[in-house]
Amino acid sequence: MRTLELLSPARDAETAIAAIDHGADAVYMGASSHGARSAAANSIDDIRRVAEYAHQYGARLYVTVNTIIYDDETSKVERLVHDLYRAGADALIVQDMALLRMELPPIALHASTQCDTRTPEKAKFLADCGFSQIVLARELTLKEIAAVHKATDIPLEVFVHGALCVSYSGDCHASCVATGRSANRGECAQMCRLSYDLANGDGNILSKGKHLLSLRDMNRLSYLSDMADAGVSSFKIEGRLKDAGYVKNVTAAYSMALDAIVAANPGKYRRASHGHASITFTPDVTKSFNRGFTDYFLCGPRPERPISSPDTPKSTGVPVGTVKGSGKGYITVDTTEALHNGDGLCYMTACGTFHGFRVNRVEGNRVFPASTEHIPAGAMLMRNSDAEWEAMLRGKTAERRIDIDMRLGLTEQGRITLGVRDGYGNEAITVSDTAITPEQAQKPQAEVRMAAMAKLGDTIFRLRSLEDTIPGGTFIAASALTQLRRKAIEAFVRARKATHRHDYRRTENKEAAVPGSSRLDYHSNVANQLAETFYREHGASHIEYALETGMPRNGDITVMTTRHCIRREMGACLKEGGGNTAKGPLYLIRGKSRWRLDFDCKECRMKVIATGRG
């Protein structure tokens, strides 16, 4: 039976706890430094708090230390990892191979998506080097995931929902080259979300002011079963910068979907953590921030539907109606949806730009914008912020409980015994300190004892069954039952805590060889001597340091490698004979910046090139 893990993001401790409450089997969050989202850092105390909360449910906490590391930072990172280990973190998500040459505690290491694992050979190499879990590149198809699964013996982690980087993760240098802010150092300037002109070699503008590198958001809710069958064990939601409402909604949606898969495949799959999350709302991922959805390349290397969002990098929401007309300070909307004061609405302007506004108030089918709007009749209105929905998500929207069974009895000496067990192999038996004096009650006592045992409201448990072997008419004071129940639950909590299973770092196979060429260029992101030592010990003969180190480098620089192809999206695919509609070479232009586009049609890859450097 294979374990399925829902892995949710958290920008802070409160969001992490909300994710656990709404069904996450694990959460990932940034450490105090060296996380790939520098704006989502967390203290050791917060890490400890989340770990303790998660472990109650057999859930796990993974901490991201997934930037590249400079030589003068290695000692700091070593101390950080020791602190994280003592705080209870279950694993680190890392990019820099320097960590495999540091003096670390035996904490499990997961290979971050920034490791850019696209092939079975790369995955096997990382597994051989001691990684316990691998985050695969987002771009892989089901067939490619299955091939990696066949080649490895460790869990595979794959993104299922959220924002998409257009470049292979870890291999995007656009921000570093253009602004000096490195994505590999947690400071991405999001160059892919900007607007560009597309020009050919003659300077003719083929497309003006479009977000040609901005992708839709991933949504693979409909493919979880296929992904599990392909070998995915950990289903990862993107969003360490998202708010708690987003995390609650998306986590609940995917948790319910995984529960359905487990229920439909008894004996084949099980969830990775314990308990059941009772959700007070019906999840709807379309109501949370999204740029429109795509399943990306999961079903094949040439998606049938568009994957980009060229009109806007902002949330587009869902259609709610069309504009019928306007009056003084209001617009009239033809809609069957309930619109609310404070909603965010947007529409496409006549010049092809996306524009949004906040609703001040709603009166029937009249909407009064908070700003002056001139929207033509017939325009489609989209709602990208539902004020009522978001207010609901700010409240308590879930409760997670673990079902337990109890057995109540008496010893020969007259002491009360209470056994507590769950469905995960945990059990504790508690005996009262003193014996009771046999006394017959005037009324049957079985229901009284059931009510006393079921009072678990201040715990994470829910009574599923009580086996009561005490004779029905035996009187036991309510205070004695309450005291015993409390002692039994405390003992059971200790028993569960003692059985929390930690993964540990796997043994490194020193004979494993770097796959492919022994010559590593800047794409390998080597930024320190420890990483260099690691690669040399595994067969690398020539190592070029990362761009971030400032090592001199002449000539063109590939700042992005993408499976997304602008030609394919605009109907000008060279393989399909559409090249005449956009003759090359092609360039992306923004202000004084000019990037060349190269197309590897054999591999169906596009490269974004910064030319003439050095």
Side-chain angles (χ1 to χ4, degrees):
M1 186 154 48
R2 190 147 56 82
T3 297
L4 303 184
E5 171 186 88
L6 177 59
L7 178 55
S8 292
R11 67 183 303 166
D12 52 33
E14 286 70 27
T15 305
I17 289 169
I20 297 294
D21 287 345
H22 288 74
D25 299 298
V27 293
Y28 66 105
M29 59 194 302
S32 55
S33 66
H34 293 85
R37 297 289 185 274
S38 61
N42 292 277
S43 69
I44 294 298
D45 286 343
D46 281 342
I47 296 294
R48 182 179 294 107
R49 177 185 166 202
V50 173
E52 290 175 354
Y53 191 85
H55 292 172
Q56 296 180 102
Y57 298 97
R60 298 187 178 189
L61 169 60
Y62 305 147
V63 180
T64 59
V65 187
N66 57 341
T67 66
I68 58 175
I69 301 164
Y70 296 149
D71 278 314
D72 61 356
E73 298 172 331
T74 55
S75 295
K76 177 183 178 181
V77 172
E78 275 191 5
R79 291 192 298 271
L80 173 63
V81 172
H82 281 274
D83 289 343
L84 293 170
Y85 181 71
R86 287 191 291 267
D90 292 282
L92 304 180
I93 302 175
V94 305
Q95 171 186 187
D96 200 314
M97 297 299 134
L99 281 99
L100 281 80
R101 291 296 176 266
M102 294 180 185
E103 295 295 328
L104 301 183
I107 191 168
L109 299 180
H110 293 184
S112 170
T113 186
Q114 279 80 15
C115 289
D116 189 18
T117 305
R118 313 179 200 178
T119 66
E121 293 77 17
K122 177 72 172 287
K124 186 177 186 306
F125 173 70
L126 293 173
D128 287 344
C129 289
F131 286 96
S132 302
Q133 189 156 301
I134 298 173
V135 190
L136 297 184
R138 292 172 171 89
E139 291 81 358
L140 298 193
T141 66
L142 284 168
K143 184 177 180 180
E144 290 166 335
I145 292 169
V148 174
H149 175 62
K150 185 176 180 181
T152 57
D153 61 351
I154 62 174
L156 302 181
E157 182 179 316
V158 177
F159 279 95
V160 293
H161 198 92
L164 284 164
C165 298
V166 67
S167 177
Y168 284 95
S169 293
D171 197 18
C172 183
H173 309 282
S175 180
C176 178
V177 169
T179 71
R181 293 170 51 186
S182 168
N184 284 314
R185 293 283 293 173
E187 298 177 339
C188 177
Q190 295 195 308
M191 304 300 293
C192 58
R193 300 301 180 190
L194 300 178
S195 60
Y196 297 92
D197 295 340
L198 179 66
N200 62 18
D202 297 327
N204 298 319
I205 303 299
L206 307 180
S207 174
K208 189 171 182 62
K210 291 295 185 179
H211 303 268
L212 298 171
L213 296 174
S214 183
L215 300 183
R216 301 184 182 200
D217 285 5
M218 182 185 284
N219 179 350
R220 291 173 168 175
L221 261 175
S222 301
Y223 296 96
L224 300 186
S225 182
D226 296 321
M227 294 178 72
D229 290 344
V232 176
S233 293
S234 182
F235 300 80
K236 187 172 191 174
I237 298 167
E238 185 277 339
R240 280 199 293 125
L241 296 179
K242 295 293 197 299
D243 61 28
Y246 178 98
V247 173
K248 287 178 179 183
N249 182 31
V250 178
T251 296
Y254 278 84
S255 182
M256 289 180 177
L258 286 181
D259 280 346
I261 292 171
V262 170
N265 294 274
K268 184 176 182 181
Y269 300 126
R270 65 179 177 85
R271 291 294 294 271
S273 62
H274 307 161
H276 175 73
S278 298
I279 310 298
T280 63
F281 65 97
T282 301
D284 183 351
V285 296
T286 67
K287 288 182 174 289
S288 289
F289 183 102
N290 71 86
R291 302 172 176 90
F293 288 125
T294 174
D295 52 53
Y296 211 29
F297 295 96
L298 193 66
C299 297
R302 301 178 66 78
E304 294 182 0
R305 293 179 293 275
I307 64 174
S308 65
S309 177
D311 294 323
T312 179
K314 299 178 181 179
S315 180
T316 56
V318 294
V320 291
T322 55
V323 174
K324 292 178 64 178
S326 61
K328 189 174 182 179
Y330 68 85
I331 57 174
T332 306
V333 182
D334 183 8
T335 180
T336 58
E337 297 287 333
L339 301 179
H340 317 116
N341 300 348
D343 279 356
L345 301 179
C346 50
Y347 61 96
M348 186 71 70
T349 67
C351 58
T353 60
F354 219 69
H355 180 73
F357 62 93
R358 184 69 59 182
V359 174
N360 191 31
R361 72 181 190 275
V362 179
E363 297 178 359
N365 66 343
R366 290 183 176 182
V367 171
F368 292 79
S371 54
T372 302
E373 301 294 330
H374 302 284
I375 312 175
M380 173 66 71
L381 283 180
M382 312 281 285
R383 177 163 56 189
N384 58 7
S385 178
D386 186 326
E388 189 172 276
W389 173 267
E390 291 171 7
M392 176 272 295
L393 285 175
R394 285 193 288 271
K396 183 175 176 58
T397 50
E399 186 176 79
R400 185 164 177 172
R401 302 282 184 176
I402 297 172
D403 287 333
I404 57 174
D405 304 301
M406 292 183 175
R407 187 177 191 276
L408 194 61
L410 288 174
T411 68
E412 293 180 357
Q413 294 77 27
R415 294 189 177 189
I416 316 170
T417 65
L418 180 58
V420 183
R421 66 178 182 272
D422 57 26
Y424 309 100
N426 301 295
E427 185 172 7
I429 299 175
T430 302
V431 182
S432 64
D433 295 332
T434 59
I436 64 168
T437 301
E439 185 178 344
Q440 286 297 112
Q442 294 181 351
K443 297 180 180 180
Q445 294 293 292
E447 290 187 9
V448 174
R449 293 194 289 267
M450 168 65 86
M453 294 300 105
K455 290 181 179 179
L456 298 167
D458 58 345
T459 74
I460 65 169
F461 304 111
R462 179 176 59 190
L463 183 61
R464 178 169 52 192
S465 69
L466 173 65
E467 182 183 355
D468 188 348
T469 63
I470 299 175
T474 303
F475 174 78
I476 302 173
S479 59
L481 291 172
T482 298
Q483 183 181 30
L484 181 63
R485 185 198 71 231
R486 288 174 177 168
K487 288 180 62 177
I489 292 298
E490 289 172 359
F492 184 61
V493 168
R494 290 194 297 271
R496 281 183 54 84
K497 186 174 182 179
T499 58
H500 178 76
R501 185 176 64 84
H502 284 274
D503 282 339
Y504 296 99
R505 181 172 162 184
R506 288 162 48 106
T507 302
E508 182 178 344
N509 175 8
K510 299 287 188 176
E511 303 301 317
V514 174
S517 174
S518 62
R519 297 178 63 87
L520 304 183
D521 61 15
Y522 63 92
H523 295 286
S524 295
N525 294 326
V526 176
N528 56 71
Q529 294 180 15
L530 290 179
E532 180 181 0
T533 298
F534 166 85
Y535 280 115
R536 290 197 184 280
E537 290 177 353
H538 284 284
S541 60
H542 172 82
I543 298 175
E544 181 180 58
Y545 267 49
L547 295 178
E548 288 83 355
T549 63
M551 295 294 185
R553 191 179 191 284
N554 296 325
D556 294 350
I557 294 177
T558 300
V559 297
M560 292 183 186
T561 301
T562 80
R563 209 164 193 172
H564 163 60
C565 179
I566 290 176
R567 280 189 171 278
R568 182 178 60 232
E569 288 279 299
M570 64 187 295
C573 175
L574 296 173
K575 292 181 71 172
E576 296 178 351
N580 290 332
T581 62
K583 293 184 178 180
L586 300 182
Y587 298 87
L588 291 178
I589 300 174
R590 180 179 174 83
K592 295 181 179 180
S593 298
R594 178 182 170 96
W595 290 349
R596 189 179 78 238
L597 299 179
D598 286 356
F599 300 92
D600 180 350
C601 294
K602 180 180 179 182
E603 298 295 331
C604 248
R605 302 289 187 273
M606 181 180 77
K607 293 184 178 182
V608 182
I609 312 292
T611 60
R613 294 177 57 86

